[in-house]
Amino acid sequence: MARTRVYMDWNATAPIGDPARLSMLEALQLPGNASSVHAEGRAARTALEKARRQVAALVGADPAHVIFTGSATEAANQVLTPDFRMGRSPLAIGRLYVSAIEHPAVREGGRFPLESVVQIGVTPSGVVDLDVLAAALQAHDASLGMPMVALMLVNNETGVIQPVVEAARLVHEHGGMIVVDAVQAAGRMTVDINELGADFLLLSSHKIAGPKGVGALVTRGEALMPAPLIRGGGQEKGHRSGTENFHGIIGFGAAAEAALEGLSERNAAIAALRRRLEEGMRQVTADVIIHGDAVERIANTCFFSLPGLKSETGQIAFDLEGIAISAGSACSSGKVGQSHVLSAMGFDAETGGLRISLGSTTSEADIDAALAAFEKIARRRPSAGKAA
Ligand code: PLP
């Protein structure tokens, strides 16, 4: 008998929503290439530019400053480069400073040589250490070129919100620029590129109930731009050549618009569900560790460890109970690696962590199913006995 599955891995990917699905179905009827001048081409261009406005609105940006890419990872690789232009003149970027908890898309440093990438540590709660960042910027050798900092707004494993506004102020005081990975934040909290003081934002469609394989690099202006990663026909004003992923972009736009609608009500509901989950977990066993619970977190994410339960074992056990959760971030190979986030937080990562991430369709019944599974799993782990 088929069992009902409960999907609780929204930070890995959000199930595609109706707004994206329906708009994509409609867009499939449009035959033209958005670069063509005939009526079919112009109709495609109109739809594409609407999506650009929708994505721009999600982050308070000027639509002219949205470059569509094939993923947030591609957008990261486009912008994380020492090869910049100020107008037509080359502009050197000397070093890239990344927080130690960045997603690999950023932590790998894009097109910077490895020796030019410096990691900035975080506190035990998983917040970037601004004193360490300030010291690094203070020590930056400006003769190499300007400093670039990459900091995520919300960590994908812990959900911890990072002090981007303060970091941006520091970076600008030191004559640098800041790239903000807003992949887990956009559509889940208010994100405004100007209020953040970010020079660049990275976005991904599939985290906001849009289709997979579409992202965007959003810029605050056009004066400082990275050399293109993909050259060719000059689409996206020469910043990203190749015929656009038209249907994907249309879906991304619709998802962005839908994500903005009712954002605060949706967040309040999700926060209540997480409270129910975390209170329930603590009632089952007092020794559950919820990472980042002492600092500000995005409403949908619960990253926890249970002494005696390895994250791989836990993930499989939840899966067998019908609950899809993740052991840290999803790796493309499906392998479960050590969480670099927990290591950076100084947590003895022997057991690893398990991430439950909720979304707009998560219900109280889903939370109760997850709690029932949690109770079973917690009680049968080798070091069980502390259950309340
Ligand atoms: N940044 C963060 C914080 C993420 O969580 C992810 C995806 O997991 C990415 C970047 C990469 O996004 P994409 O899948 O669009 O390459």
Side-chain angles (χ1 to χ4, degrees):
M1 191 182 81
R3 278 195 301 170
T4 319
R5 299 276 309 170
V6 176
Y7 185 76
M8 290 192 160
D9 201 8
W10 290 65
N11 287 10
T13 198
I16 198 157
D18 278 347
R21 197 169 53 79
L22 297 173
S23 69
M24 288 169 80
L25 282 172
E26 208 174 296
L28 286 170
Q29 311 292 327
L30 294 174
N33 182 324
S35 296
S36 301
V37 293
H38 44 60
E40 289 80 356
R42 293 197 306 277
R45 170 60 56 192
T46 302
L48 196 114
E49 294 311 320
K50 177 181 173 197
R52 200 184 304 281
R53 288 193 298 278
Q54 290 167 316
V55 170
L58 183 65
V59 293
D62 181 335
H65 297 162
V66 173
I67 301 165
F68 286 116
T69 61
S71 59
T73 301
E74 185 194 312
N77 278 269
Q78 178 163 359
V79 74
L80 301 180
T81 173
D83 187 8
F84 254 72
R85 300 270 180 281
M86 180 148 59
R88 286 174 171 263
S89 318
L91 174 80
I93 313 291
R95 282 214 193 301
L96 172 66
Y97 301 87
V98 299
S99 88
I101 55 166
E102 293 302 302
H103 186 277
V106 168
R107 210 165 63 108
E108 296 280 313
R111 292 184 275 167
F112 277 91
L114 263 187
E115 62 275 14
S116 301
V117 183
V118 178
Q119 284 197 21
I120 305 295
V122 301
T123 67
S125 288
V127 181
V128 69
D129 193 328
L130 287 179
D131 292 338
V132 175
L133 177 63
L137 289 169
Q138 192 66 41
H140 176 78
D141 178 359
S143 70
L144 300 171
M146 71 196 284
M148 176 185 272
V149 170
L151 177 61
M152 62 203 334
L153 183 50
V154 170
N155 180 263
N156 46 302
E157 294 191 16
T158 59
V160 169
I161 299 174
Q162 302 297 315
V164 165
V165 174
E166 294 81 352
R169 205 175 298 130
L170 261 178
V171 174
H172 293 142
E173 274 167 20
H174 288 85
M177 48 178 144
I178 181 163
V179 175
V180 175
D181 176 348
V183 165
Q184 296 287 349
R188 296 180 182 163
M189 63 185 273
T190 303
V191 179
D192 184 298
I193 188 167
N194 295 302
E195 281 174 15
L196 288 173
D199 297 297
F200 297 93
L201 285 186
L202 311 177
L203 298 177
S204 181
S205 155
H206 71 103
K207 308 289 184 182
I208 62 163
K212 295 165 181 63
V214 198
L217 175 63
V218 183
T219 71
R220 198 136 62 99
E222 282 174 295
L224 300 183
M225 292 300 290
L229 179 63
I230 301 177
R231 296 169 208 269
Q235 286 88 348
E236 297 294 282
K237 293 198 242 164
H239 296 302
R240 203 281 189 179
S241 287
T243 300
E244 305 84 356
N245 174 1
F246 178 68
H247 308 104
I249 289 170
I250 301 302
F252 187 10
E257 186 172 294
L260 264 187
E261 276 162 23
L263 175 61
S264 55
E265 293 79 2
R266 205 168 50 245
N267 253 345
I270 291 174
L273 290 172
R274 184 180 64 184
R275 230 174 359 258
R276 183 184 181 98
L277 174 72
E278 294 186 346
E279 282 169 10
M281 284 163 63
R282 288 191 165 113
Q283 266 169 26
V284 168
T285 176
D287 64 351
V288 61
I289 299 156
I290 299 177
H291 301 288
D293 63 345
V295 291
E296 205 187 351
R297 284 179 298 160
I298 196 90
N300 80 318
T301 306
C302 169
F303 191 41
F304 67 95
S305 297
L306 265 179
L309 181 73
K310 284 213 156 133
S311 54
E312 302 93 297
T313 317
Q315 185 184 22
I316 294 164
F318 271 94
D319 195 31
L320 291 173
E321 295 294 330
I323 320 276
I325 68 165
S326 135
S329 53
C331 297
S332 55
S333 58
K335 72 179 183 324
V336 177
Q338 187 92 314
S339 163
H340 70 277
V341 176
L342 284 183
S343 302
M345 289 162 68
F347 181 77
D348 167 19
E350 180 80 357
T351 51
L354 288 167
R355 181 185 67 193
I356 295 182
S357 49
L358 317 177
S360 58
T361 60
T362 307
S363 64
E364 282 191 357
D366 292 341
I367 298 292
D368 293 345
L371 279 173
F374 177 84
E375 181 158 11
K376 263 198 200 173
I377 294 162
R379 289 201 194 287
R380 67 172 184 240
R381 81 201 132 113
S383 66
K386 288 193 186 171

